[in-house]
Amino acid sequence: MEAVGGKVVEYIDQGGRFLIKKITSCITFGEDLKTLERNVRRLSDRTVDMRTEIENQEQSGRKKRKQQVESWLNEVEQLKEEFFQLKETATRGKKNIGALKELNGRVAEVEQRGNFGELVCDVYESEECPKLVQPVQEETSKQNIEVIWTWLQDENVSSIGIYGMGGVGKTTLAKHTYNRLRKDSRYQVHWVTVSQGFSIKGLQDYLAKIVNLNLSHVKNEDGRAELLNWAFKKMKNIIVIILDDVWEHLRLEGLGYPLGMEGYKLILTTRSYEVCQKMCCKKLLKVKKLNASDAWELFRKSLGSETRLSPDIERVAESMATKCEGLPLGLITLAGSMRGVTDIREWNNAMNEFPDDMENDVFKVLKYSYDRLRDPTMQECFLYCALYPEDYKIGRDELIGKFIMEGLVKGNSREKECNHGHTILNKLVNLCLLEATADDFGDEAVRMHDLLREMALRITTDKPRYMVRAGIGPQVLEEQDWVFNLDRASFYYRKIKRIPEDMTPNCPTLSTLILSRCGLTMIPGSFFQYMNNLQVLDLSDNSELMDLPSSISNLESLRALSLQRCILLKSVPPLRKLKNLRVLNVFETGIKEVPQGMENLVKLKFLDMGRTGVDELPNEILPKLFQLQYLNLPGHVNAPGEDLASLELLEEFRGRFYDLSNFHKFMSSRHNYEKVWWYDIFVGPTDSLNLGGMGERIQKQRVIVENCTIATSIFLPHGIDILKISSCDGLSSCFVDNFRSRTTTSRGLTCSISDCDEIEWIINVPCISFRNLKVHCLPNLVGLCERKIEPHTFSDLTELVIEKCDRMKKLFPRAMLQDLKNLEKLVVGWCSEMEEIIGREEGEESSQSSSSSSSTSVTADLPKLKKLYLQQLPELKSICEGKLMCDSLKYMELLYCPKLKIPSITYW
């Protein structure tokens, strides 16, 4: 009995504990639900920011969201939906404690998995970007394109070889085929430029990017090939790989050998018929030179419509075109050199200068076009492009930066030097010596045709003397390559790793040395000993380089030293002797202190110390660098406002001021600065912001103020483009009243305001033109406009985001619609009191109480609105009364707006 009694007591005790636990859980359910809601809101806020960042980067066409990021965003949306269902069920009295705990755990787990670093990845040309290529007019070329297309439709043809002499148009045919394949949903096409000096490993890495495969941990070529083969098998659609400019037989097994399987095809271009045979191409197409009629048609077209030819000039022009022997590249380049010439005497002179032995040698045609440049600076800038790898897309800003380092462009300001650089590049593009394109980030770039690059390298075998080993693949440095009269040397993108310790090249005339992206781990102490004329030294992007030889301190002729993104580099040798230095770039290196002797660099114009470990500048060092035009300071440095004010030539600046007082000292000095200048300025404590930057041109006009007390009006610089105000106190109730200067760019202001409790209104007078306006977490915000404002105040607005503004009941009045004709995106969320999006004016009669005829005529028109997001608006009753016209609407999301009466919406 005692045992039984004991069990009964135990069960009663356990039951009591269970009952108490259950009661306690019911009591805390409401608190737990609120905690979950905060967690879901935080997660949702993060997705909004992420989507905005992703959409901004995707606009370039060169970036796409990572698949794992897209899956994560969709998962968050699912969690939000489940939370709303749980909350709605709880309001009906059904409190599912288990579901709440399970959902809270999943929210925490999903949030933990949301640290992706980069949200986007490169869009490879095969997926998004068509090849830039002129349309073909010649009948033979059109026929060749159709022949290739017919072969591609034949399932028995797995490989096609396109061969012919250099400059005959093989790559042009391949580009047209590539673009046509892109438009056909059955195919997935990928382009690989092979060129001379390739390596199987380098090509494997390139193909691995196509199939999103990481091969960095696999060293063996056969093992890498097996992984590539496995990855190709998993891909859908018909895979077409185009290998352009193949010089020798490739062992396809080393590239994953997808051709043995159904659904895989290969197209290659080469100058060699034997290469096509050795690679077992099923079909061969020889690209022949153009006949006389087609050659003249291409030459005439390449001259451009602005070049009008008299009968006499036309006879000379036809003779010149005949000299090109039907080679398209020669015809295009030669015609480019004569574009705009309408004087018969100049045509006759050009004809007389033609070498007699021009026929059958495309290089002589190209060299003639190069000689016609006449301008030595343009010629040198053209030859400089050959220092980059073959088929490389050279960013314009990067290349012009190199021209400035070399002293090839002139101007008494950085802006004028950049303009001169763009002028030179534009002329080279117009003369068909360079091709305009875009790099992997969608930015402007140029590239050199492989034959033009080969011609440039032939020119630079004598004077100037270049040694160019740029490109994919390993490279062993040999002492005998470093000839005595060398002018420039480039190993860009060549894997060197280590330079032999006893190597001491004797190159007294060497002026430029590029060892960028070489994977260098060390440089011998004596390597620079006999390079006394060295003016440009580029060691950038060697992420494993930890030390620099002290001999760099003796390179007294040096104009530019580039060390950016050498992330393990902890120090730079003393620079006090380098008094000729104009450019010093240590962006994203591991240095902790300013290099010794930097105060002696009185000619320095460009200084980038962004993303370094430097947290303090020596006193009064900046006034000694009075010629600075570009300055990027580390994020932990409190920029000295008074010292910066002494830099009268400064055109581009990125840095942080710990407080507004220091910021205003600098701004006061720029008040009367009339030239356009670029800036990226952060104001606030060092732990509140991450100072970014890419180490290139700043190219923005942005000010961010965070965690500051606003004691006086903020002095904004002229032409401001982006303004962010966050977590500040002491603000006036109307946002625009907090600023002294209200001059924005002609494009309108991109403005973000968050976590500022005092703000009740955004604008009271039409003083600022907004392009984008994002308002977040302003608990006392009543409305956008304090009073009825002038028309066109918001006429430039394209994006409006309002979130977590709990006092707002009406977004904007109907009268303001006339100002919103350019609005493309509208987001309203988490505003607990919001009742109307487009509301009535005070005293305006509701359409419901007016006559039925007037009710049906009420129409709100947002003609450019593409995206509409309304979420978590529990009191929202209407978007607008009557009919809403949105002819451009592509996407609409209405989430948890239980009282919303959806209006009649007309959209495309």
Side-chain angles (χ1 to χ4, degrees):
M1 284 294 293
E2 289 180 2
V4 174
K7 284 290 182 186
V8 171
V9 171
E10 185 181 336
Y11 290 146
I12 292 172
D13 184 49
Q14 288 179 352
R17 284 199 298 270
F18 174 75
L19 182 61
I20 292 169
K21 186 176 181 181
K22 189 171 181 66
I23 292 170
T24 304
S25 298
C26 290
I27 292 172
T28 61
F29 182 88
E31 295 177 2
D32 292 343
L33 187 64
K34 288 181 180 179
T35 300
L36 176 59
E37 183 170 12
R38 286 195 297 270
N39 294 340
V40 171
R41 278 190 180 186
R42 185 172 65 248
L43 200 58
S44 182
D45 291 345
R46 191 171 173 189
T47 63
V48 171
D49 293 339
M50 289 171 66
R51 286 189 187 278
T52 300
E53 182 178 344
I54 289 168
E55 288 171 5
N56 289 340
Q57 295 198 51
E58 285 180 332
Q59 286 176 0
S60 71
R62 304 294 300 186
K63 293 285 182 179
K64 65 177 181 180
R65 63 191 69 191
K66 291 180 178 179
Q67 184 57 52
Q68 58 177 340
V69 173
E70 179 66 15
S71 299
W72 187 85
L73 291 172
N74 293 334
E75 198 171 349
V76 172
E77 292 303 317
Q78 178 63 34
L79 289 175
K80 285 164 59 179
E81 185 63 33
E82 290 183 28
F83 167 73
F84 298 141
Q85 291 175 2
L86 179 67
K87 186 176 181 180
E88 190 176 349
T89 303
T91 59
R92 296 197 299 266
K94 297 180 180 180
K95 298 180 178 180
N96 191 332
I97 300 167
L100 186 149
K101 286 187 175 181
E102 188 266 341
L103 186 57
N104 206 10
R106 285 169 56 204
V107 168
E109 187 265 334
V110 168
E111 186 172 17
Q112 192 173 11
R113 285 194 284 109
N115 297 318
F116 298 102
E118 289 292 333
L119 301 176
V120 295
C121 57
D122 291 343
V123 172
Y124 292 99
E125 294 164 340
S126 53
E127 295 176 359
E128 293 292 339
C129 301
K131 294 289 181 184
L132 295 174
V133 61
Q134 293 292 328
V136 295
Q137 306 294 334
E138 307 78 31
E139 195 59 38
T140 303
S141 298
K142 292 179 181 177
Q143 292 173 0
N144 284 339
I145 291 172
E146 292 306 318
V147 167
I148 294 170
W149 190 254
T150 302
W151 287 343
L152 285 169
Q153 312 310 303
D154 189 342
E155 61 183 18
N156 296 317
V157 178
S158 59
S159 53
I160 300 169
I162 304 172
Y163 70 99
M165 66 184 299
V168 81
K170 304 179 295 296
T171 298
T172 298
L173 285 177
K175 284 182 176 179
H176 278 288
T177 303
Y178 171 90
N179 289 344
R180 190 167 177 179
L181 286 166
R182 281 185 66 257
K183 296 176 183 178
D184 194 317
S185 59
R186 296 172 299 167
Y187 297 97
Q188 193 170 344
V189 56
H190 302 279
W191 182 285
V192 183
T193 300
V194 181
S195 306
Q196 291 175 292
F198 77 94
S199 71
I200 290 293
K201 187 177 178 182
L203 288 176
Q204 286 177 334
D205 288 335
Y206 200 99
L207 292 172
K209 291 181 182 178
I210 290 172
V211 294
N212 199 23
L213 182 66
N214 182 8
L215 293 178
S216 60
H217 62 290
V218 184
K219 305 301 180 185
N220 179 271
E221 276 189 10
D222 291 336
R224 292 160 65 91
E226 289 175 6
L227 287 173
L228 277 171
N229 183 276
W230 168 79
F232 274 115
K233 285 181 180 178
K234 289 173 60 181
M235 298 183 75
K236 299 176 182 179
N237 298 350
I238 300 172
I239 307 298
V240 181
I241 297 176
I242 299 177
L243 300 179
D244 184 45
D245 200 18
V246 180
W247 282 73
E248 56 187 87
H249 169 228
L250 291 176
R251 189 174 62 88
L252 291 175
E253 293 87 348
L255 302 180
Y257 193 53
L259 299 175
M261 298 174 286
E262 184 180 352
Y264 295 87
K265 294 179 183 289
L266 171 73
I267 300 174
L268 65 88
T269 71
T270 178
R271 300 183 196 179
S272 169
Y273 171 74
E274 287 74 20
V275 167
C276 293
Q277 284 188 315
K278 289 179 180 179
M279 294 184 66
C280 302
C281 292
K282 301 294 183 183
K283 294 289 185 179
L284 299 179
L285 175 66
K286 181 178 181 180
V287 183
K288 300 177 181 178
K289 294 185 287 185
L290 299 178
N291 60 42
S293 174
D294 285 345
W296 169 243
E297 182 181 354
L298 178 60
F299 186 86
R300 185 68 186 84
K301 178 174 173 290
S302 300
L303 280 173
S305 57
E306 71 277 10
T307 309
R308 297 185 178 182
L309 303 181
S310 66
D312 289 340
I313 292 177
E314 187 165 320
R315 282 192 292 272
V316 179
E318 284 181 344
S319 297
M320 290 182 72
T322 303
K323 297 277 189 178
C324 296
E325 287 288 308
L327 288 172
L329 180 63
L331 289 160
I332 292 170
T333 307
L334 181 60
S337 71
M338 299 301 297
R339 188 175 293 157
V341 177
T342 55
D343 188 326
I344 182 63
R345 292 164 295 189
E346 193 169 344
W347 278 92
N348 285 329
N349 182 63
M351 187 66 182
N352 292 335
E353 290 179 346
F354 243 85
D356 294 331
D357 59 346
M358 185 71 73
E359 290 83 355
N360 292 317
D361 191 343
V362 68
F363 289 107
K364 291 181 179 178
V365 178
L366 302 181
K367 176 64 163 56
Y368 174 80
S369 299
Y370 164 81
D371 290 337
R372 277 190 56 78
L373 288 174
R374 312 296 188 198
D375 183 350
T377 298
M378 284 188 65
Q379 289 179 330
E380 192 169 359
C381 288
F382 169 76
L383 296 177
Y384 197 92
C385 296
L387 295 172
Y388 287 86
E390 183 174 337
D391 207 43
Y392 188 80
K393 295 173 182 176
I394 316 168
R396 270 182 172 249
D397 285 341
E398 176 189 341
L399 186 55
I400 291 170
K402 293 287 174 60
F403 291 167
I404 293 173
M405 290 182 191
E406 299 279 354
L408 295 176
V409 290
K410 305 300 180 185
N412 57 8
S413 70
R414 186 170 179 81
E415 181 185 11
K416 290 180 179 179
E417 288 175 328
C418 289
N419 290 341
H420 187 199
H422 281 295
T423 301
I424 289 172
L425 291 181
N426 289 341
K427 288 181 179 179
L428 291 174
V429 168
N430 291 334
L431 294 171
C432 301
L433 290 170
L434 292 177
E435 174 189 333
T437 183
D439 65 15
D440 290 339
F441 299 99
D443 296 325
E444 288 184 298
V446 294
R447 66 175 289 273
M448 224 177 191
H449 190 282
D450 59 336
L451 283 179
L452 283 164
R453 182 174 182 271
E454 195 171 331
M455 182 266 292
L457 293 178
R458 290 188 182 190
I459 293 172
T460 56
T461 56
D462 182 22
K463 192 164 183 63
R465 184 75 178 267
Y466 286 10
M467 175 173 62
V468 181
R469 302 288 188 270
I472 59 175
Q475 172 74 36
V476 177
L477 297 190
E478 302 288 348
E479 189 86 46
Q480 61 267 24
D481 292 334
W482 299 84
V483 294
F484 187 79
N485 61 341
L486 197 60
D487 292 300
R488 291 188 171 114
S490 172
F491 297 85
Y492 190 89
Y493 240 120
R494 208 66 189 249
K495 297 303 177 187
I496 296 173
K497 289 290 185 183
R498 294 179 66 87
I499 298 173
E501 291 194 18
D502 59 347
M503 181 173 282
T504 310
N506 186 13
C507 301
T509 62
L510 184 67
S511 65
T512 301
L513 176 57
I514 300 175
L515 287 165
S516 176
R517 301 191 181 189
C518 292
L520 286 173
T521 58
M522 64 85 65
I523 301 174
S526 60
F527 185 69
F528 300 112
Q529 186 173 347
Y530 301 115
M531 299 182 184
N532 297 328
N533 189 52
L534 196 61
Q535 297 176 29
V536 175
L537 177 58
D538 186 355
L539 298 171
S540 61
D541 292 285
N542 287 296
S543 58
E544 298 178 47
L545 185 63
M546 300 179 68
D547 296 295
L548 295 176
S550 60
S551 55
I552 285 180
S553 298
N554 298 319
L555 299 176
E556 297 183 23
S557 298
L558 208 60
R559 292 172 55 96
L561 178 59
S562 296
L563 303 168
Q564 65 264 35
R565 291 179 290 275
C566 294
I567 56 177
L568 296 183
L569 188 64
K570 301 302 181 186
S571 64
V572 176
L575 303 178
R576 62 179 59 89
K577 293 183 181 180
L578 308 188
K579 296 180 180 180
N580 203 40
L581 201 66
R582 268 80 163 174
V583 174
L584 177 60
N585 194 337
V586 291
F587 175 82
E588 209 168 13
T589 59
I591 67 170
K592 304 292 185 184
E593 297 179 348
V594 169
Q596 292 181 24
M598 201 168 77
E599 65 276 4
N600 291 358
L601 308 182
V602 294
K603 293 184 179 180
L604 199 65
K605 295 183 177 182
F606 181 107
L607 175 59
D608 196 332
M609 296 191 293
R611 294 190 186 176
T612 63
V614 175
D615 55 15
E616 187 178 9
L617 293 180
N619 290 334
E620 299 183 352
I621 190 172
L622 290 180
K624 296 175 182 177
L625 308 178
F626 57 90
Q627 293 200 49
L628 276 179
Q629 298 170 347
Y630 177 108
L631 177 62
N632 184 11
L633 292 177
H636 295 288
V637 167
N638 184 16
E642 291 184 1
D643 289 355
L644 284 169
S646 68
L647 301 179
E648 297 180 359
L649 302 179
L650 194 64
E651 299 174 52
E652 299 183 53
F653 171 71
R654 178 184 283 119
R656 179 197 302 278
F657 300 91
Y658 282 9
D659 54 57
L660 283 167
S661 174
N662 206 18
F663 169 65
H664 285 153
K665 290 176 183 177
F666 178 50
M667 282 297 101
S668 297
S669 71
R670 312 295 286 185
H671 180 61
N672 296 319
Y673 191 81
E674 297 180 355
K675 298 178 182 177
V676 175
W677 67 295
W678 303 98
Y679 47 86
D680 200 5
I681 297 174
F682 298 74
V683 185
T686 182
D687 59 349
S688 64
L689 289 167
N690 176 30
L691 194 60
M694 291 298 293
E696 302 295 342
R697 294 203 68 188
I698 292 169
Q699 294 186 313
K700 65 178 70 172
Q701 294 161 308
R702 178 172 74 165
V703 174
I704 295 178
V705 183
E706 182 170 306
N707 283 335
C708 287
T709 297
I710 314 299
T712 60
S713 297
I714 300 173
F715 203 144
L716 293 180
H718 290 303
I720 185 169
D721 188 40
I722 301 170
L723 174 64
K724 294 185 179 182
I725 306 291
S726 177
S727 302
C728 293
D729 54 37
L731 289 158
S732 300
S733 61
C734 186
F735 176 71
V736 298
D737 287 343
N738 294 284
F739 306 100
R740 258 188 273 177
S741 172
R742 298 168 179 176
T743 306
T744 62
T745 62
S746 58
R747 299 186 301 275
L749 182 68
T750 293
C751 183
S752 171
I753 317 161
S754 63
D755 297 288
C756 298
D757 293 352
E758 291 97 340
I759 294 178
E760 298 178 13
W761 308 95
I762 301 300
I763 197 166
N764 52 10
V765 290
C767 53
I768 292 180
S769 173
F770 292 100
R771 182 172 73 253
N772 294 329
L773 178 59
K774 297 181 181 180
V775 177
H776 181 80
C777 223
L778 303 187
N780 291 305
L781 186 72
V782 177
L784 295 178
C785 307
E786 187 174 4
R787 60 179 71 96
K788 191 171 182 179
I789 58 170
E790 304 263 341
H792 311 302
T793 301
F794 289 98
S795 58
D796 293 327
L797 191 66
T798 61
E799 180 176 350
L800 176 61
V801 178
I802 305 288
E803 293 178 331
K804 295 186 178 180
C805 298
D806 290 335
R807 282 190 64 192
M808 283 193 80
K809 293 189 176 184
K810 176 174 63 180
L811 185 59
F812 40 72
R814 184 181 300 278
M816 193 173 148
L817 279 176
Q818 62 181 339
D819 260 11
L820 301 174
K821 300 299 184 184
N822 289 310
L823 188 65
E824 298 178 3
K825 182 178 179 180
L826 176 60
V827 179
V828 185
W830 291 278
C831 299
S832 60
E833 299 298 322
M834 184 72 70
E835 297 178 359
E836 298 176 289
I837 300 301
I838 303 170
R840 299 185 304 278
E841 297 281 4
E842 293 294 332
E844 185 181 344
E845 187 180 5
S846 170
S847 63
Q848 293 176 354
S849 60
S850 60
S851 66
S852 59
S853 60
S854 65
S855 175
T856 55
S857 66
V858 176
T859 300
D861 187 13
L862 297 172
K864 293 187 179 181
L865 189 68
K866 298 176 182 178
K867 297 178 181 180
L868 174 62
Y869 300 86
L870 302 176
Q871 50 192 347
Q872 285 291 297
L873 304 171
E875 297 300 321
L876 185 66
K877 297 178 179 64
S878 72
I879 297 177
C880 70
E881 289 190 353
K883 192 175 184 180
L884 180 61
M885 297 287 292
C886 302
D887 292 341
S888 302
L889 194 64
K890 304 293 184 187
Y891 184 85
M892 180 170 65
E893 180 177 290
L894 307 177
L895 196 59
Y896 193 68
C897 303
K899 297 182 181 181
L900 177 62
K901 181 181 178 182
I902 301 177
S904 172
I905 300 178
T906 301
Y907 58 92
W908 179 81

